[in-house]
Amino acid sequence: MIALIQRVSCAHVAIDDCVVGAIGAGLLALVAVQPADGESQTKNLLDRILGYRVFADENGKMNHSLRDTGGGLLLVSQFTLAADTRSGRRPSFSLVAKPEQGRRWFERMLSLARATHPKVESGRFGAFMQVHLVNDGPVSFWLENS
């Protein structure tokens, strides 16, 4: 499982010009599911997203996590993060979970996030979405289960 997290001042996701999820300050997490992923990978990655220290403390150092700040979390499925781009000029999606598996584990992550964090929004799995964000920094990190 892979996530690209971005610290944002605000972010929203729209489908057909209709906003389906929006947050103020917090994290936008683009998430991709891979074939070997399951419950433990889902829980582990969510724990890392919520606990990753990307927010400044009183000295300006990145020492606070989303859990610490209580900021918003916007989860968006993005299977293209798991594309194999090592050769050629066209991505291969052989490293991406099938849609049924991707949906299952993305929705499980969303459910766990909503049960443990006060402000969670999301896009819609499999939909063509427009993601709007103001990256705060810019600050972006690639998280991957080992």
Side-chain angles (χ1 to χ4, degrees), residues 2-56:
I2 299 167
L4 175 65
I5 61 171
Q6 298 180 73
R7 186 177 72 189
V8 298
S9 299
C10 60
H12 71 270
V13 62
I15 300 171
D16 296 327
D17 295 321
C18 179
V19 173
V20 296
I23 61 168
L27 290 177
L28 165 64
L30 304 171
V31 177
V33 179
Q34 297 175 291
D37 292 335
E39 184 75 14
S40 65
Q41 290 81 11
T42 302
K43 287 180 175 180
N44 178 272
L45 189 59
L46 177 61
D47 185 57
R48 290 187 68 206
I49 291 168
L50 294 174
Y52 216 69
R53 297 182 305 170
V54 301
F55 297 95

Side-chain angles (χ1 to χ4, degrees), residues 105-132:
W105 296 117
F106 177 79
E107 289 180 358
R108 176 66 174 147
M109 179 180 279
L110 182 57
S111 174
L112 289 168
R114 286 183 169 150
T116 60
H117 193 72
K119 176 68 174 163
V120 178
E121 296 285 328
S122 74
R124 190 172 306 140
F125 186 90
F128 186 82
M129 298 174 274
Q130 296 79 46
V131 180
H132 305 261

Side-chain angles (χ1 to χ4, degrees), residues 131-145:
V131 180
H132 305 261
L133 67 133
V134 177
N135 191 313
D136 182 26
V139 173
S140 301
F141 294 97
W142 179 271
L143 303 179
E144 192 168 357
N145 284 337

Side-chain angles (χ1 to χ4, degrees), residues 87-102:
S87 66
R89 295 194 175 141
R90 181 175 173 180
S92 166
F93 297 107
S94 61
L95 303 176
V96 177
K98 300 277 187 230
E100 308 79 36
Q101 181 188 12

